[in-house]
Amino acid sequence: MTRRTRSTPVQPKIEPKAIVAVARKAEVKAKAKAATPSRTVPEPAPAPSPTMPKAPSGKLGALLDRIGQPIGATIDQLADATGWQTHTIRAAFSRLRQRGFPIILVTDADGRKAYRFDPKEG
């Protein structure tokens, strides 16, 4: 059995009118693309204000009320007030810090660890 091979590839014949039509389509697409507004990068969010953000309500608001006192509040006091476990309270503080609340943990002279608002920032 002999093998058939082509010496040169066969190119389809294109009519000149078809070439012009394809070029016109490309021009129309380019004009339409240029006419549509391009997507712009959104403006960055404004810088957070130096004041504290709006206080949430509910149990998060109760946490903020307790630590807003001058002596602050221990994790056990906060757990009793909310009914949450201690790791949940720490997670809530982490999220509140991300929102902009200046919450710190302070150790008093008698060894009591209390959460308070940072007086430097607020």
Side-chain angles (χ1 to χ4, degrees):
M1 209 170 179
T2 60
R3 188 172 189 193
R4 293 175 142 182
T5 60
R6 276 191 190 157
S7 59
T8 59
V10 177
Q11 301 255 339
K13 293 184 179 182
I14 300 176
E15 297 289 325
K17 290 180 183 179
I19 294 174
V20 172
V22 169
R24 283 188 186 152
K25 276 187 177 180
E27 287 177 15
V28 170
K29 282 185 180 180
K31 285 181 182 178
K33 189 173 184 179
T36 58
S38 63
R39 291 187 177 183
T40 59
V41 177
E43 294 181 15
S49 63
T51 61
M52 289 196 316
K54 181 182 173 190
S57 60
K59 290 186 179 183
L60 286 177
L63 287 177
L64 292 175
D65 289 340
R66 298 277 176 134
I67 67 170
Q69 298 171 358
I71 60 170
T74 65
I75 195 84
D76 293 330
Q77 291 170 341
L78 296 170
D80 290 339
T82 59
W84 289 348
Q85 295 181 5
T86 57
H87 68 274
T88 306
I89 294 169
R90 289 186 193 100
F93 283 154
S94 176
R95 295 296 288 174
L96 288 169
R97 284 185 189 111
Q98 288 176 355
R99 291 186 192 177
F101 291 95
I103 300 169
I104 58 170
L105 179 62
V106 179
T107 304
D108 294 336
D110 59 349
R112 175 182 178 263
K113 291 185 178 183
Y115 286 93
R116 297 182 189 161
F117 286 123
D118 190 359
K120 298 174 195 169
E121 293 188 33

